[in-house]
Amino acid sequence: QVPLVESGGGLVQSGGSLRLSCSASGRTFVGYAMGWFRQALGKEREFVASISGTGSNTRYTDSVKGRFTISRDNAKNTVYLQMNNLKPEDTAVYYCAADNRNDYSNYAPYEIYEYYYWGQGTQVTVSS
């Protein structure tokens, strides 16, 4: 059973907005650092945003700073990625991930190897 389930993807015009959700299935991820990655067709998976286990620190790749916001709702065991002013180059499959430390740290990881649990992804397509 995949422990993380993404939703909220879809087709949107350039300049539009989407909010992705990542829900945990069968276990809690409270206290775990969480991240969003994306993979465009023919390209490697890349880091988008992350949030620390405490929720106090966030990190973004430069291309989405000022447009995307990551947040978490521990009561709902859910992480969100609010994406505004979307561009065609944001088109990709977006993946949610969680680390396996559960240490309530203030560190927001950004490397693929720092994450242990992954969802199956949700497609985001931005038309020009």
Side-chain angles (χ1 to χ4, degrees):
Q1 184 179 8
V2 177
L4 297 170
V5 180
E6 303 94 337
S7 62
L11 173 64
V12 64
Q13 289 187 333
S14 182
S17 298
L18 286 173
R19 188 177 80 157
L20 305 183
S21 298
C22 172
S23 299
S25 175
R27 63 173 297 155
T28 179
F29 284 95
V30 175
Y32 291 73
M34 304 289 292
W36 286 96
F37 289 76
R38 65 187 180 187
Q39 187 167 16
L41 193 62
K43 296 187 177 180
E44 294 185 350
R45 191 170 300 189
E46 65 174 359
F47 169 75
V48 177
S50 62
I51 187 166
S52 64
T54 61
S56 61
N57 284 344
T58 57
R59 189 193 301 263
Y60 299 92
T61 192
D62 287 345
S63 63
V64 308
K65 285 179 180 178
R67 300 189 297 123
F68 291 11
T69 303
I70 188 171
S71 61
R72 66 190 303 159
D73 184 339
N74 288 337
K76 296 182 178 180
N77 210 17
T78 300
V79 174
Y80 303 98
L81 185 68
Q82 178 66 44
M83 305 186 296
N84 297 328
N85 190 22
L86 283 160
K87 304 176 181 181
E89 51 263 43
D90 294 318
T91 295
V93 177
Y94 283 70
Y95 296 91
C96 176
D99 73 1
N100 64 343
R101 289 172 291 196
N102 187 23
D103 59 2
Y104 285 87
S105 79
N106 290 320
Y107 175 63
Y110 59 96
E111 299 281 8
I112 289 177
Y113 71 83
E114 296 181 286
Y115 289 89
Y116 186 79
Y117 301 97
W118 292 84
Q120 292 185 318
T122 184
Q123 175 71 46
V124 171
T125 303
V126 185
S127 63
S128 57

